[in-house]
Amino acid sequence: MSGDEDDSWIYDSVVGFLNSPVWMVPIESFVEQHCLVFDSGTEDAQEYHVLHDDYKQLVEELLESFTSDLHITSAQFIAGCNKGRALGGTYTQGIIEYVFASVNFD
């Protein structure tokens, strides 16, 4: 797909995917399985880093499956997300930021 073609469908597909059970169920399950670690009252940086790495791996696997199903590259995926971010809209922008934030531990 060239840069001249209309790729707005990618952004629409990303938003749909991030609102679907295919994305939500594994993410919510991961959070539920590991939320008690953060309720302990003590901060265990090593354990937090391990959980973050596991979470990143889960996100990467879900996104790789999504891009494979759509036959798009990761660059097209990112371009579609950035296009949507530029369009604005609090709700959809928040969804996209959620994905980008998953790679940043801080």
Side-chain angles (χ1 to χ4, degrees), residues 1-21:
M1 180 180 293
S2 73
D4 297 326
E5 293 182 39
D6 181 17
D7 60 357
S8 60
W9 65 271
I10 294 174
Y11 175 68
D12 293 336
S13 296
V14 169
V15 171
F17 172 68
L18 295 177
N19 283 298
S20 75

Side-chain angles (χ1 to χ4, degrees), residues 37-38 42-53 105:
V37 169
F38 300 99
T42 61
E43 190 170 315
D44 184 351
Q46 177 63 27
E47 189 169 6
Y48 290 177
H49 280 282
V50 169
L51 285 176
H52 182 253
D53 288 342
F105 179 77

Side-chain angles (χ1 to χ4, degrees), residues 62-74:
L62 291 169
L63 293 178
E64 285 172 5
S65 176
F66 171 72
T67 57
S68 175
D69 288 348
L70 289 183
H71 304 289
I72 61 172
T73 65
S74 57

Side-chain angles (χ1 to χ4, degrees), residues 7-104:
D7 60 357
S8 60
W9 65 271
I10 294 174
Y11 175 68
D12 293 336
S13 296
V14 169
V15 171
F17 172 68
L18 295 177
N19 283 298
S20 75
V22 173
W23 170 264
M24 296 299 296
V25 169
I27 296 296
E28 289 175 358
S29 294
F30 183 91
V31 171
E32 287 177 15
Q33 286 177 324
H34 302 290
C35 67
L36 292 178
V37 169
F38 300 99
D39 286 341
S40 67
T42 61
E43 190 170 315
D44 184 351
Q46 177 63 27
E47 189 169 6
Y48 290 177
H49 280 282
V50 169
L51 285 176
H52 182 253
D53 288 342
D54 291 346
Y55 180 74
K56 278 194 320 187
Q57 182 176 346
L58 173 62
V59 168
E60 288 173 8
E61 289 171 358
L62 291 169
L63 293 178
E64 285 172 5
S65 176
F66 171 72
T67 57
S68 175
D69 288 348
L70 289 183
H71 304 289
I72 61 172
T73 65
S74 57
Q76 289 172 307
F77 171 83
I78 292 170
C81 290
N82 285 332
K83 185 175 192 175
R85 289 166 75 185
L87 293 174
T90 306
Y91 175 72
T92 54
Q93 202 167 13
I95 292 172
I96 301 301
E97 292 300 325
Y98 181 71
V99 173
F100 285 116
S102 68
V103 297
N104 185 3

